[in-house]
């Protein structure tokens, strides 16, 4: 069973702070996605990374795929209250027809 | 708006009953995935259909079944409901063939079993 462990599980910070969320596995993924989910709503796709070592930026969010394609990180610069939500990473092994979702990181950004 | 629609938004029913959840994928997407999300279990993959055929199965109970119709909409049937089936059920769609790749999620159906 492939597992994607995310850390930290919970994070409570003030607006303006920086943070990093980690997603780790012992499995190699052909691609990895990051989603954000707000309470009572479906996960929303933020980014897909496919190449080992790849870095993608989405405004204040920076995503990195590990060189070995087993891990990924999400860095948020100058967090805003609108960044509050559940962040999920999800890996695609390329051989199975399903994504493996991480355990999730719940982020709360306060004023 | 992801383009994936799910109905109903909320469903309250009693133990032992049967319900049907409906999903319409994004225009052009051939793959539909069903997930269950509960507080203590995270997002659990249930089943995938691709162009009308079952493609992959996850942690789906025998009391649950799904199908995808020729117009590509999908239904998830839950029967002999138990209290533990209370959860959010999400449908997602993807254009990829044979690989999950990027998935686009619907708003979910919140099922409450009393």
């Amino acid at each position: 069973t492939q597992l994607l462990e995310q850390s930290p599980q919970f994070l409570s910070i003030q607006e303006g702070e920086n943070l990093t969320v980690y997603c780790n596995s012992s499995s190699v993924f052909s691609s990895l996605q990051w989603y954000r989910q707000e309470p009572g709503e479906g996960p929303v796709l933020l980014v897909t990374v496919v190449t080992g070592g790849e870095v993608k930026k989405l405004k204040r969010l920076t995503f990195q795929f590990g060189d070995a394609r087993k891990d990924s990180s999400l860095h948020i610069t100058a967090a805003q209250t609108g960044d509050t939500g559940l962040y999920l990473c999800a890996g695609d092994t390329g051989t199975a027809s399903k994504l493996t979702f991480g355990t999730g990181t719940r982020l709360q950004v306060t004023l | 708006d992801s383009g994936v629609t799910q109905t109903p938004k909320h469903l309250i029913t009693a133990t032992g009953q049967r319900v049907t959840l409906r999903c319409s994928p994004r225009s052009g997407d051939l793959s539909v995935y069903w997930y269950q999300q509960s507080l203590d279990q995270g997002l659990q993959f249930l089943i995938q259909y691709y162009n009308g055929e079952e493609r992959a199965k996850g942690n789906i109970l025998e009391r649950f079944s799904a199908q995808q119709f020729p117009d590509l909409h999908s239904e998830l049937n839950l029967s002999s409901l138990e209290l533990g089936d209370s959860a959010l059920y999400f449908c997602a769609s993807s254009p990829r063939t044979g690989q999950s790749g990027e998935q686009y999620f619907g708003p979910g159906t919140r099922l409450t079993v009393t």
Side-chain angles (χ1 to χ4, degrees), chain B residues 4-21:
Chain B
V4 178
T5 61
Q6 288 186 249
T7 57
K9 180 80 172 166
H10 301 278
L11 199 48
I12 301 174
T13 189
T15 55
Q17 295 298 305
R18 172 190 170 94
V19 297
T20 297
L21 313 183

Side-chain angles (χ1 to χ4, degrees), chain B residues 22-76:
Chain B
R22 183 188 167 103
C23 166
S24 291
R26 294 188 321 159
S27 177
D29 285 358
L30 298 178
S31 279
V32 169
Y33 306 80
W34 285 97
Y35 292 87
Q36 179 191 58
Q37 187 178 42
S38 51
L39 283 174
D40 58 347
Q41 292 286 330
L43 204 62
Q44 299 291 316
F45 168 72
L46 296 178
I47 197 165
Q48 181 210 358
Y49 277 81
Y50 173 73
N51 203 21
E53 294 193 3
E54 183 184 302
R55 180 60 65 97
K57 259 186 176 179
N59 303 319
I60 188 166
L61 300 171
E62 284 191 12
R63 301 183 285 109
F64 296 1
S65 65
Q67 54 184 326
Q68 187 179 27
F69 295 87
D71 67 352
L72 300 177
H73 91 270
S74 178
E75 293 181 356
L76 179 67

Side-chain angles (χ1 to χ4, degrees), chain B residues 74-91:
Chain B
S74 178
E75 293 181 356
L76 179 67
N77 301 295
L78 314 176
S79 62
S80 303
L81 285 168
E82 302 175 358
L83 295 177
D85 297 327
S86 295
L88 273 166
Y89 290 85
F90 289 105
C91 163

